[in-house]
Amino acid sequence: STEAETDALLAVVAEGRAPQIAALLRRLYAQGTTPVSLCIMALRHFRQLHSVASDPAGPGQGIGRLRPPVWGPRRDAMLRQASGWGAARLERALALLIETDLQLRSASRAPAQALVERALIRLAMMARR
């Protein structure tokens, strides 16, 4: 259940649907998901999108090279997301997520949930451009 909710959150972020982020985050936090684990999962998703988008043979070939393989509706969604974002914007998204992850793991007093929510909203706004 948590895995499905996380996938739904990452799809919402990658597709630029920022208004839906807060409700999904509340549900995930209520289920015990930590901000650090959300950041790690977002990093993994955006790394996969970057790998697909930056494949020299195109996104169609890039998604076929992913391990573990992606199937069904998730494959179609990832292809759409990777094509929409492009490699350059995905690199900026990865930089934002890495910076957020470093802040979460540092001795910072910033609230972790707020850091992750802000980063995800910024990513969703990046997707719209």
Side-chain angles (χ1 to χ4, degrees):
S1 166
T2 304
E3 191 103 3
E5 295 268 343
T6 305
D7 285 344
L9 173 68
L10 295 175
V12 162
V13 170
E15 292 167 7
R17 296 183 277 151
Q20 299 173 9
I21 293 173
L24 287 168
L25 279 175
R26 273 194 305 275
R27 260 190 270 153
L28 283 166
Y29 290 143
Q31 292 175 4
T33 307
T34 65
V36 172
S37 64
L38 278 177
C39 192
I40 290 169
M41 289 183 233
L43 259 168
R44 182 177 24 177
H45 182 74
F46 278 86
R47 276 191 185 123
Q48 286 180 323
L49 289 179
H50 182 262
S51 174
V52 170
S54 60
D55 192 281
Q61 292 293 316
I63 200 151
R65 297 180 211 267
L66 288 180
R67 297 291 174 251
V70 180
W71 302 103
R74 186 165 182 259
R75 177 186 176 98
D76 298 336
M78 285 189 75
L79 268 173
R80 210 173 34 253
Q81 292 165 9
S83 298
W85 275 82
R89 279 196 303 160
L90 284 165
E91 287 171 10
R92 290 196 308 269
L94 287 170
L96 172 67
L97 285 167
I98 290 169
E99 180 184 324
T100 303
D101 189 39
L102 289 173
Q103 284 179 333
L104 288 171
R105 295 169 192 248
S106 73
S108 169
R109 293 186 181 265
Q113 291 181 353
L115 279 174
V116 170
E117 184 173 3
R118 189 175 309 127
L120 294 177
I121 290 171
R122 286 177 64 191
L123 287 172
M125 294 301 177
M126 285 172 66
R128 290 183 183 182
R129 294 183 195 149

